[in-house]
Amino acid sequence: AEAGGDPGGWRFGLARLAVPVPPPLQRLALAGQRLEIPEGEEPRFAAGYYPRLRRTATVISSDGSFTPPEISGPSLVLRASYGEGHDLDVGWEWAYQVAGERLRAPLAADGGEDADEGYRDLAAERAIVAGLDLPLERFGLLRPGAGPAGRPPALAAGTQLSGLDTMRFTTELLPLLPGESGVIADITGEPPDYREAGDSLQIEVSAGEVTGETDWFDLGVTITVEGRQVPFRDVFGALSRGEQHLLLPDGAYFSLAKPELQALARLIEEARALQESPAGPLRISRFQAGLWDELAGLGEVSHQAAAWREQVTGLLSGGAPARPSPPATLLARLRPYQQDGFGWLAFLWQHRLGGILADDMGLGKTLQCLALISHARQASPGGPPFLIVAPTSVVGNWAAEAARFTPDLTVVPVTETAARSGRDLAGIAAGADAVITSYTLLRIDFGSYAGAGWAGLLLDEAQHAKNHQSKIYQCARGLPAPVKIAVTGTPLENNLMELWSLLSITAPGLFPSPGRFRDYYARPVEKRGDTELLAQLQRRIRPLVRRRTKEQVAADLPAKQEQVVEVDLHPQHRRLYQTYLQRERQKVLGLIGDLDANRFTIFRSLTLLRQLSLHAGLVDDAHRDLPCSKIDALLGQLRDVTGGGHRALVFSQFTGFLAQVRRRLEAERIEYCYLDGKTRGRAAVIERFQQGGAPVFLISLKAGGFGLNLTAADYCFLLDPWWNPATEAQAVDRAHRIGQTRNVMVYRLVAAGTIEEKVMALKQRKAELFASVMDSGNVFSAALDADDIRGLLG
């Protein structure tokens, strides 16, 4: 069409309509109207109108006076504006060049089609977004959910980052942008100098004295990075929140996944979880040497209080740095493991620490303790005595062992209550080096014991105090003493709280709270079988528990080790024994002039006294319910033996006494085999024991002294002593013989103050003679004369 029909005039043409012509443009064309663009507005037309007009129709200049502007393709701009600290605003924009002018367009809600300014190439924009290979989800730069059908996920218009997210954006995302086609970064503000500083990280720990405290020390932890201290609370807080890095104000950061930091977090958590007041200052007990050892292993030790350093060093080394020599007055040669145990005990005493001597049965725990007492008396003469608390049945054995190995010590056994004896405890203890009492007497007369001064407390068979709710435990825990040692082969039998009880007596700062110990250790280990926590618990208690088994020291032990266990009769039992003793003594002393003629009658009297030394019910059924200390002592030993996976032979010459033992074993639900002269199916019984059918074998000395190979057992208990050593040796040799792979432990239970004691003394005097007697063990062999019989009757 030619305007005005003038061939020389301008022509405005529309060709190849790409889209429907908008009505205003239609009217303009049909009316033949002109749209004049003033010369000064041409740039505005080119940049602001032409881009949209070109989408409506193809625009041409008939006279070449108008040159269409160049419109660039899109660039996706990632805008990052750094603020104070580690704050960062991040957003997206589209950038175009139109006629040399830089234009920006924000993202629209659905990707941009409803915000078309005319110059945007939406297909190219979608292609750029679809080709992005950046971890955008991590920084909140993608909108949740999928985009419109057939389109890539939509970009989020913007987000705000802070802290570690800013560090990661700067160090992980920005470096990737140069490799992305069509993407540019627009950064404003000054980004911090983000850098990995983990190689410069150092950990220092310290233990400082607490004014007025002797058991606790302030625990300090200092962390430095690039020479600057980092508040530990910041590190621990980040660790507890599970963060992977810690960012410092100047941009330095380090990984919290470092093994030493993870270990530090666990150790601090453990220390706080177990102390009485987790919200209070962080402290460490002088008993927590194992915890300190692991803390110190994570870095450098910047400071240690002198007392702390000496105590911890000694505990972690297994004893005093320079082990003391055994006391010259000790009448025994300590084996190497006993020397180690004595040195450990001496170190504990020197530094007023406590612990548990938990050696296996028969390894000489009593001897090691006596060596300690003798050492302490030489180091501090004239001081208060040690208090030894033991089961009633072994009080006498302690006194006998002390007389044997440490005769220079004044050892006083207490066998009656203050009310019954009429003696004041202070008077009894005056001048003594050690006082021996029973758990029962400690409980009854606790006020008197608590009021006396003691150099230390030794708890023998300490499992008697394993229940922290019992009166015995409360007495042992509350008794004032600078050092407390628990002596037991079974520091726990049923659960970990029993171990806690003994440790809370001997090392009260190790695990201060029973509830926290139960929640942190006992329940996870017992209910979930947490092996890592169990291993950690073993590390914590190792410096304060000395445990050696027979197998560990087998190379140092003799093939057979023997021990005498003295047992005190129950008071009622003793009164009955004394009555019979007076009567039978008069009878025998009247017949001894003609020994051969009266042999049977004298033998019957001696046998009656021997039976009465075992159980009153053996001589008169009316006394069958009288308490029997020897059976009590045996059952205590058998619990330890069977609990440790060992097997035991129990010998007696009296089947009536074995019957009493059988009843107690059944009441205690301890499996046993039984053999006497009336047993049928002897081979089957022996096979059952050898194959592990029961841990205890009761055997009458006469029936089981010959012809048996019982190498499955490694413990022998002789319930009634015999004056012919050969008879006992034959019984013991049922286990101690070729084929035995373990050391055999032999225990002789002797009733103190009875004919049994006299039998033991007689055997000592006649050892060579009796060793040569290989007959049936006849008590009235030619070697037993009238003087021997008088000695047996006192």
Side-chain angles (χ1 to χ4, degrees):
E2 296 180 356
D6 182 0
W10 60 270
R11 242 185 307 191
F12 183 79
L14 298 176
R16 292 190 305 133
L17 298 179
V19 294
V21 179
L25 187 56
Q26 290 181 29
R27 289 193 296 269
L28 176 67
L30 294 175
Q33 296 177 343
R34 291 166 61 99
L35 178 63
E36 294 186 4
I37 309 299
E39 186 176 352
E41 293 293 329
E42 184 177 340
R44 180 183 174 198
F45 170 78
Y49 292 89
Y50 170 77
R52 283 193 295 271
L53 184 62
R54 70 187 178 117
R55 296 296 182 93
T56 301
T58 302
V59 179
I60 61 174
S61 173
S62 60
D63 60 3
S65 61
F66 174 75
T67 301
E70 291 186 8
I71 300 177
S72 70
S75 293
L76 182 60
V77 179
L78 180 58
R79 175 178 42 80
S81 178
Y82 287 89
E84 294 294 328
H86 300 288
D87 293 336
L88 176 65
D89 287 330
V90 183
W92 295 107
E93 291 178 334
W94 290 107
Y96 285 84
Q97 290 276 356
V98 180
E101 183 179 351
R102 182 175 297 176
L103 301 178
R104 294 285 181 97
L107 293 181
D110 66 352
E113 286 189 2
D114 62 351
D116 185 7
E117 291 84 356
Y119 56 80
R120 294 176 61 179
D121 186 341
L122 299 182
E125 289 178 6
R126 285 194 293 272
I128 291 174
V129 173
L132 289 177
D133 185 19
L134 296 171
L136 301 177
E137 301 91 341
R138 188 185 312 171
F139 302 102
L141 293 173
L142 282 180
R143 285 191 291 158
R151 298 180 183 176
L155 298 174
T159 188
Q160 291 184 327
L161 302 177
S162 62
L164 287 170
D165 289 333
T166 299
M167 179 273 290
R168 294 190 183 98
F169 175 90
T170 306
T171 60
E172 297 175 16
L173 182 64
L174 286 184
L176 298 177
L177 293 185
E180 292 292 318
S181 177
V183 182
I184 59 176
D186 184 3
I187 299 174
T188 60
E190 187 67 27
D193 179 20
Y194 292 117
R195 63 201 181 277
E196 169 63 54
D199 290 342
S200 67
L201 185 143
Q202 291 184 331
I203 299 173
E204 294 182 353
V205 294
S206 63
E209 293 180 351
V210 180
T211 303
E213 293 275 0
T214 57
D215 285 350
W216 292 92
F217 296 80
D218 281 327
L219 177 61
V221 180
T222 302
I223 296 176
T224 59
V225 173
E226 295 182 339
R228 300 184 305 279
Q229 287 191 8
V230 179
F232 175 70
R233 62 179 177 275
D234 294 349
V235 179
F236 189 68
L239 285 166
S240 64
R241 293 189 296 270
E243 296 179 3
Q244 296 301 308
H245 292 82
L246 184 66
L247 178 62
L248 303 182
D250 67 348
Y253 63 91
F254 55 90
S255 171
L256 295 174
K258 287 178 173 293
E260 60 268 34
L261 290 178
Q262 294 292 322
L264 178 64
R266 290 193 297 270
L267 294 172
I268 298 303
E269 179 185 5
E270 176 189 353
R272 285 208 180 278
L274 294 173
Q275 68 184 33
E276 289 281 6
S277 177
L282 190 59
R283 291 183 174 177
I284 190 166
S285 165
R286 65 197 185 103
F287 296 100
Q288 293 174 318
L291 177 61
W292 170 262
D293 188 37
E294 292 189 26
L295 280 169
L298 298 177
E300 298 180 359
V301 177
S302 62
H303 168 72
Q304 282 180 276
W308 168 265
R309 180 172 56 252
E310 188 174 0
Q311 292 172 14
V312 168
T313 300
L315 283 175
L316 295 177
S317 66
R323 292 182 303 172
S325 299
T329 54
L330 184 68
L331 301 184
R333 181 177 180 181
L334 297 182
R335 300 181 180 280
Y337 72 88
Q338 293 171 332
Q339 169 66 45
D340 289 340
F342 159 66
W344 179 71
L345 291 173
F347 176 85
L348 295 182
W349 173 79
Q350 178 186 354
H351 294 282
R352 300 299 185 261
L353 295 164
I356 302 176
L357 181 60
D359 285 347
D360 209 348
M361 288 182 62
L363 296 186
K365 295 189 290 290
T366 301
L367 177 58
Q368 295 173 62
C369 290
L370 289 172
L372 166 66
I373 296 174
S374 184
H375 168 78
R377 302 312 289 170
Q378 291 182 13
S380 301
F386 281 77
L387 177 64
I388 302 169
V389 183
T392 303
S393 60
V394 298
V395 168
N397 187 66
W398 268 92
E401 294 289 276
R404 176 184 176 189
F405 296 118
T406 55
D408 61 308
L409 297 180
T410 300
V411 178
V412 180
V414 178
T415 58
E416 294 180 312
T417 63
R420 178 177 292 274
S421 67
R423 298 178 62 192
D424 178 68
L425 181 62
I428 295 174
D433 297 307
V435 173
I436 312 171
T437 192
S438 67
Y439 285 99
T440 301
L441 295 179
L442 175 67
R443 175 177 54 82
I444 294 173
D445 289 336
F446 179 71
S448 298
Y449 287 99
W454 305 106
L457 172 66
L458 296 176
L459 298 173
D460 188 28
E461 301 297 339
Q463 63 270 19
H464 283 73
K466 68 184 180 181
N467 182 359
H468 69 277
Q469 297 177 331
S470 70
K471 182 66 175 177
I472 288 296
Y473 166 83
Q474 294 168 9
C475 291
R477 177 75 185 268
L479 185 82
V483 177
K484 296 181 180 180
I485 305 295
V487 182
T488 174
T490 53
L492 76 159
E493 296 175 309
N494 302 305
N495 55 65
L496 284 175
M497 292 308 298
E498 296 174 353
L499 175 62
W500 178 89
S501 296
L502 299 188
L503 288 169
S504 70
I505 293 171
T506 58
L510 182 60
F511 305 118
S513 167
R516 295 187 181 281
F517 178 84
R518 181 186 295 108
D519 294 342
Y520 190 86
Y521 278 120
R523 285 175 178 164
V525 170
E526 295 171 358
K527 303 297 184 183
R528 302 199 303 266
D530 193 323
T531 56
E532 289 188 8
L533 265 184
L534 177 60
Q536 177 177 298
L537 176 61
Q538 292 170 336
R539 295 195 303 272
R540 296 293 172 268
I541 69 174
R542 187 175 296 122
L544 296 163
V545 178
R546 182 59 52 133
R547 169 73 172 170
R548 281 80 57 89
T549 65
K550 289 192 308 172
E551 290 75 15
Q552 290 172 327
V553 297
D556 181 61
L557 285 176
K560 176 173 64 177
Q561 189 167 347
E562 305 185 38
Q563 183 175 339
V564 174
V565 178
E566 289 193 359
V567 179
D568 287 321
L569 299 182
H570 186 275
Q572 291 178 264
H573 189 177
R574 179 164 295 284
R575 285 195 295 272
L576 186 65
Y577 178 85
Q578 292 297 330
T579 299
Y580 275 84
L581 174 62
Q582 296 302 324
R583 186 183 68 189
E584 299 302 320
R585 176 188 288 141
Q586 294 299 322
K587 179 194 299 184
V588 171
L589 292 179
L591 299 173
I592 204 169
D594 190 350
L595 183 58
D596 291 335
N598 299 304
R599 181 180 301 273
F600 178 80
T601 303
I602 294 173
F603 176 78
R604 185 173 59 185
S605 292
L606 295 177
T607 300
L608 183 146
L609 292 176
R610 292 183 61 227
Q611 291 177 318
L612 193 56
S613 300
L614 294 169
H615 196 299
L618 296 179
V619 298
D620 188 343
D621 195 57
H623 303 306
R624 63 177 299 176
D625 295 327
L626 211 59
C628 179
S629 300
K630 186 169 286 192
I631 294 181
D632 291 342
L634 173 66
L635 265 292
Q637 297 274 5
L638 288 179
R639 292 189 197 100
D640 287 345
V641 170
T642 58
H646 299 286
R647 318 284 300 287
L649 308 179
V650 180
F651 290 95
S652 175
Q653 295 183 66
F654 303 103
T655 56
F657 189 52
L658 290 178
Q660 299 283 353
V661 175
R662 292 176 71 175
R663 281 192 283 271
R664 283 292 300 277
L665 290 176
E666 290 167 357
E668 295 280 346
R669 296 184 178 180
I670 297 177
E671 293 288 330
Y672 66 92
C673 295
Y674 180 85
L675 178 68
D676 67 17
K678 298 180 180 179
T679 299
R680 295 184 178 180
R682 177 185 176 107
V685 173
I686 295 170
E687 180 67 12
R688 176 173 177 253
F689 177 78
Q690 285 289 89
Q691 295 303 317
V696 178
F697 199 170
L698 304 181
I699 306 173
S700 72
L701 196 63
K702 183 176 182 180
F706 302 93
L708 297 182
N709 186 336
L710 300 174
T711 53
D714 54 342
Y715 280 77
C716 291
F717 292 90
L718 301 169
L719 299 184
D720 34 276
W722 192 245
W723 34 71
N724 186 342
T727 302
E728 289 186 352
Q730 289 165 352
V732 171
D733 283 346
R734 300 312 97 208
H736 181 230
R737 61 191 298 122
I738 295 175
Q740 177 60 265
T741 59
R742 296 171 291 178
N743 297 309
V744 175
M745 315 301 289
V746 181
Y747 292 85
R748 291 176 172 82
L749 275 61
V750 176
T754 70
I755 192 174
E756 290 187 347
E757 228 174 34
K758 307 299 181 180
V759 168
M760 295 297 293
L762 176 62
K763 179 161 50 179
Q764 183 66 28
R765 294 196 306 269
K766 302 287 186 177
E768 289 186 11
L769 177 62
F770 289 160
S772 65
V773 176
M774 299 304 294
D775 56 14
S776 61
N778 190 335
V779 64
F780 292 111
S781 65
L784 195 63
D785 56 22
D787 289 337
D788 292 331
I789 296 174
R790 292 189 183 95
L792 290 174
L793 296 173

